[in-house]
Amino acid sequence: MANSKQDGLFAAGQAKSEASDYSAKDIEVLEGLEPVRLRPGMYIGGTDNRALHHLFAEVLDNAMDEAVAGHASRIEVELDRDGYLSVTDNGRGIPVDPHPKFKDKSALEVIMTTLHAGGKFNENSYQTSGGLHGVGVSVVNALSDDLTVEVAREKTLYAQSFKRGKAVGKLQNLGAVPNRRGTKVRFHPDPEIFGPRAHFKPARLFSMARAKAYLQPGVEIRWKCAAELVAELETIPAEAVFHFPGGLADYLQETLGSKITVTPEIFSGRSKKETGHGRVEWAVSWSPEGFGEADSFVRSYCNTIPTLDGGTHEQGLRAALTKGLRAYADVAGMAKKAANITPDDVMITAGALVSLFIKNPEFQGQTKDRLSNSEAARLVENAVRDPFDHWLAGSPKDAGKLLEWVIEKADERVKRRRARDVSRKSATRKLRLPGKLADCSDKTAKNTEIFIVEGESAGGSAKQARNRKTQAILPLKGKILNVESATREKIAANKEITDLATALGVGLGKKFDLDDLRYERVIIMTDADVDGAHIAALLITFFYRFMPELLEQGRLYMAMPPLFRITQGGRSLYANDEAHKEHLLATEFTGRGKIELGRFKGLGEMMPAQLKTTTMDPKTRTLARITLDLDNIPTTESLVETLMGKRADLRYQYIQDHAQYVEDLDV
Ligand code: 2B7
C-alpha cells in the first residue's frame, strides 16, 4: 500500500515537470484546428445552410478588410459548377515570409492552420472579433475538404493547398506575376461537416456580395457564377459588377424605391476621412408609408459587419438627429412644441443606415450582434450632427415639414400613453378588491374557493368558520339583480354584480377569461329557505349567462347548509331537510333523554363551529355541483328564459303545467 502511494506521488511530480517542459508543444496542440472539426457549431453556429454561407462571409470579410484599409479596390467572387467558391482581392497579399515563431512555416501557413492567428500580422486590422464574426480564415480552412490560397506579392505568385485544415505540401513559388497583387482563396466545404447535399446558393451569395458593395463605395465587387447554376434563377445573372459610389445613399434610395417621403432629399453623408479609424457613413429619410411590415427600417454596420441589434453607433445617430431637430426647432420658433420629442419619435418612421469603421470593435449580446464600444456613440454623433444642422438650415421648407412630422409622432405617442394609463388605472381599479371580500391568503387559484354568502350576518359567521388560507368569503347584500331581465347597462352599473366579477378576478362580457379566475371553486352559500333558493337561482343565472365555462368545467357549487339540528344529551346531528330529519329521529335518537329540535332560520343563526363542520369544512361538508347538460343546451336555455326572464306569462304557464309535481310546498 505504502508503495503504491509513493508511486502516486512520484507520478504527480513527474506530470507537473512534464507540463512546464512541454508547454510550447501544448499550446500548439491547443491552437490546432481539430477542435473546429470536432465542434463546428462553436465556431460557425451550426452546420446548416446558414453556417455554410458563413464560410463565404468570413472570407469575403477578410477581403473587405483589405479594401477598408485602403489596400484593395476590387474583389471577385466566383462560384464554380463543382461547388468550389473563390474570393480574390487585389490587396497586399497575405504575407508569405517565414513565421518568426514557427521557423519552418510561412506566415500564410500559420494564418491558415492556427486558430485566432493573424492580429500580429496586420497591425491596422479591422478584423472583427468575437461571436460568429472574425473567427478567422483558419476555421474556413478546417471545414473545407479542399482549399487553395494564392498570393501575388512582390511580383511573385505563391500558392499552398490544404485538406481539412492540414497543409498538403509546402508553400509553392509559382514564378513572376508582374501585374498581379493580392490574395485568392478557393475552397470547397467539407461534406463530412455540412452533409453530402450541402451546396452554396447562388442567390444568397449574390445578395451577400451586393450588400457589402454598398458599405464600401470605393470597392468594386465582381460576381461570376457557373451558368448552369443560375439557369433557373431569373433574378441572378451569371456575371455582374457591384459598384455603388453613392454608398449608403444608393442603398437607401433603392430601399425607398417610389415611396412617398417627408422630405424630397435623403439626408446622407460620410465623415471627411476616406479611410482609417473612426470613419462614419450614413443615410436617412422618413416615409409615412412604412417599410414592409414595419414602420421603420434601421440598419447599422461596424466594419461592414451587420449589427442586427444596433448598439452605440446607432445610439450616436439617434442622438445627433434628435438634438439637431430640437436645435432647429429653437431657431424656427417651435421650441415649445418640440420640447418633448424623443429619439424614438425621430426614428419611428425613419429609413436609416449607418456604417462605422473602428479598430477593435466589441460586440455584445446573446448573438454578439450589438456594438458596445462607447467611443462609437461619440464618433457617430459628432460626424452626423454638423452636416444635419446644415442640411436642415439649407432647406427650411423641408426642415419645417420634417419637424412637424416628428412633433406629430411625439403627440401621438403622448396620446397613446395617456390612453394606456387610463386603461391601466381602470385595470387596477378593477383589481382593487371589494372591501367586504375576506380574501384567502393563498395567492394562486389552486385549491382555493370563494363562498358567495347571502347577507352580512351569515358573512360574519362564515368568516369565522372558514380556513383563511384557502377559503374566501364574499357577503352579498340581499338579492342580486336578475341578469336575465336586465339590460347590459344596468348589469354593468350594478354594484353587487361588479363586486362579484371583481372578486372573482374576471371581467364581464368580452373581457371574460376563465384563466383569470382567482379561485378554483365558486360556492354559492344561501339560507335553506325560499329566499335563499331565489338568491341561488339569481346567482346561477348570472354565472350561466356570463361565465358558462365555469359551469361547463364543473367549478360552480352550492353549499348544503342543514335545516335542522337535533340534540339529545350532549350529542347534536344536523338534517338537511324534512325527510332527513325524520330519518335521523327514527334511527339515531332512540334513547330516553329529551330531544331538542332546532330549525335554522338562516346561516347567521349558526355558531361558526357548526357552520364549519356542517357546511364549509371540506372534510365533513357536502357540496352540490352545478353542471350544464351539454347535450341539452336548448332545453336549459328555454328553462332559464322561462323561469328567470322578463315574461311573467311564460312563468305562470310553467307553474300551471308543473304544479302537479310539487310535493312539499314550504310556505
Ligand atoms: C487577419 C489575417 C487573416 N492578411 C494580411 C495582409 C493582407 C491580407 C490578409 C487578405 C480573402 C480572399 C481573397 C497585412 C489577415 C491576413 O496580413 S488577408 N489580405 N485578403 C484576404 O484574406 N482575402 C497584409 C500587412 C501587410 N501585408 C499584407
Side-chain angles (χ1 to χ4, degrees), residues 59 62-63 66 87-89 92-95 111 118 121-122 153 183-185:
V59 178
N62 278 342
E66 193 64 1
V87 178
T88 313
D89 69 53
R92 293 164 296 178
I94 299 177
I111 286 173
F121 302 100
N122 194 347
R153 198 176 153 91
T183 307
K184 175 175 182 173
V185 176

Side-chain angles (χ1 to χ4, degrees), residues 39-203:
R39 289 194 182 80
M42 289 205 19
Y43 297 87
I44 54 165
T47 55
D48 57 0
N49 222 266
R50 202 189 90 94
L52 174 75
H53 287 81
H54 188 78
L55 300 183
F56 169 57
E58 196 61 45
V59 178
L60 182 63
D61 281 351
N62 278 342
M64 279 303 270
D65 283 349
E66 193 64 1
V68 169
H71 299 293
S73 59
R74 205 169 59 224
I75 296 170
E76 288 171 35
V77 176
E78 185 168 357
L79 181 61
D80 294 340
R81 52 177 298 189
D82 54 8
Y84 274 77
L85 182 61
S86 41
V87 178
T88 313
D89 69 53
N90 64 347
R92 293 164 296 178
I94 299 177
V96 288
D97 37 358
H99 192 276
K101 206 167 121 200
F102 310 94
K103 290 178 191 66
D104 57 331
K105 284 183 183 166
S106 67
L108 180 132
E109 186 173 339
V110 174
I111 286 173
M112 296 310 295
T113 58
T114 318
L115 265 176
H116 305 304
K120 35 201 173 295
F121 302 100
N122 194 347
E123 284 294 297
N124 299 318
S125 177
Y126 283 88
Q127 184 72 38
T128 54
S129 58
L132 296 183
H133 308 297
V135 288
V137 68
S138 61
V139 169
V140 178
N141 195 22
L143 302 177
S144 297
D145 59 356
D146 189 15
L147 181 148
T148 299
V149 188
E150 282 178 23
V151 168
R153 198 176 153 91
E154 287 154 1
K155 308 206 181 296
T156 311
L157 184 65
Y158 303 88
Q160 190 168 20
S161 290
F162 305 84
K163 288 205 186 308
R164 304 197 159 100
K166 295 209 163 78
V168 280
K170 291 261 144 227
L171 179 75
Q172 309 268 305
N173 182 330
L174 298 179
V177 276
N179 298 318
R180 184 176 160 188
R181 60 193 277 282
T183 307
K184 175 175 182 173
V185 176
R186 184 170 188 268
F187 67 103
H188 185 267
D190 189 353
E192 280 181 16
I193 301 287
F194 298 99
R197 294 151 62 85
H199 63 277
F200 286 117
K201 296 234 180 328

